[in-house]
Amino acid sequence: PKRSCPTSNRASLARQRLGRRISLSGGETALKRTKLTPEHAALRAVETPALIVDVPVLKANIEAMSASAKRAGLALRPHAKTHKSPEIASLQIKAGAAGIACATVAEAEMLARRGLPGLLLTAPQMGTDRFERIAKVNRDHGLTVVVDHARQVEGLAAAMRQGDRTLAVALDIDVGQLRTLLGLFKRMDG
């Protein structure tokens, strides 16, 4: 039989809880979720579509993930694309996240406006407009960007101004799956 991962079990349990406390492996406790239905009195007046956030479950999930990362000796940097919410990102930072990963420049801009630390733009970007927006976020707030081609580095350097803070850059390396721009160019050339 397959062995299950304790972290994924805790995460799975965390998604299912609200109400009474239950015990998890490792001595942790979590909340068990009650089922909300459209007939629930508190939801009858809500016009749809609407996002309903079960705040106790959200906070329990964030705390459980943070605790799991700490036990494993890992720095946690959750993705903003899962919620696109500065309020949720702030809860993640308060729970110990090293920062927030952003898939788009717009996500980085939104979170930088709220003053959230440790922003990482994970998707390599192309285009003068994007390079200028990235340089502005870095200038005003600080940012780490991922690049996968020298043209991106050149474009980002051109968008920077004298006296700007140093832009932190991480290199996305192609491991043979041709998911990076450099891997694509190698395939086209070869």
Side-chain angles (χ1 to χ4, degrees):
K2 278 188 173 179
R3 282 186 58 193
S4 60
C5 172
T7 302
S8 68
N9 285 344
R10 280 192 291 276
S12 176
L13 282 173
R15 286 188 291 273
Q16 300 171 14
R17 56 193 177 202
L18 174 66
R20 67 180 180 84
R21 294 226 170 241
I22 58 172
S23 293
L24 297 175
S25 61
E28 294 179 46
T29 60
L31 296 172
K32 185 174 179 183
R33 183 195 310 179
T34 57
K35 294 184 179 184
L36 293 177
T37 67
E39 291 79 31
H40 192 282
L43 299 178
R44 285 190 192 141
V46 176
E47 295 209 21
T48 59
L51 173 65
I52 306 295
V53 176
D54 195 333
V55 175
V57 171
L58 173 67
K59 288 180 177 180
N61 287 345
I62 290 170
E63 290 296 331
M65 195 67 208
S66 179
S68 179
K70 284 177 188 165
R71 273 192 311 282
L74 300 172
L76 179 65
R77 189 182 303 267
H79 250 287
K81 68 182 177 183
T82 61
H83 51 70
K84 299 203 185 272
S85 166
E87 291 81 7
I88 293 174
S90 181
L91 291 173
Q92 292 171 317
I93 294 290
K94 287 177 186 168
I100 303 293
C102 304
T104 67
V105 178
E107 288 174 2
E109 290 167 330
M110 169 190 66
L111 297 177
R113 279 192 298 273
R114 293 294 186 94
L116 293 171
L119 301 182
L120 170 66
L121 184 56
T122 61
Q125 304 291 315
M126 282 299 291
T128 303
D129 178 61
R130 288 184 188 172
F131 295 146
E132 289 173 1
R133 290 168 58 200
I134 289 167
K136 180 171 179 9
V137 170
N138 184 63
R139 184 176 307 119
D140 296 343
H141 183 74
L143 180 69
T144 300
V145 297
V146 173
V147 299
D148 64 0
H149 197 274
R151 291 180 191 163
Q152 294 158 341
V153 175
E154 292 163 1
L156 289 165
M160 302 292 286
R161 296 182 188 162
Q162 185 71 28
D164 278 357
R165 71 176 80 206
T166 300
L167 177 65
V169 176
L171 182 60
D172 190 2
I173 298 174
D174 181 46
V175 294
Q177 296 178 326
L178 303 176
R179 291 180 48 143
T180 67
L181 193 57
L182 187 56
L184 179 62
F185 283 140
K186 282 183 180 179
R187 173 102 182 213
M188 290 168 48
D189 290 342

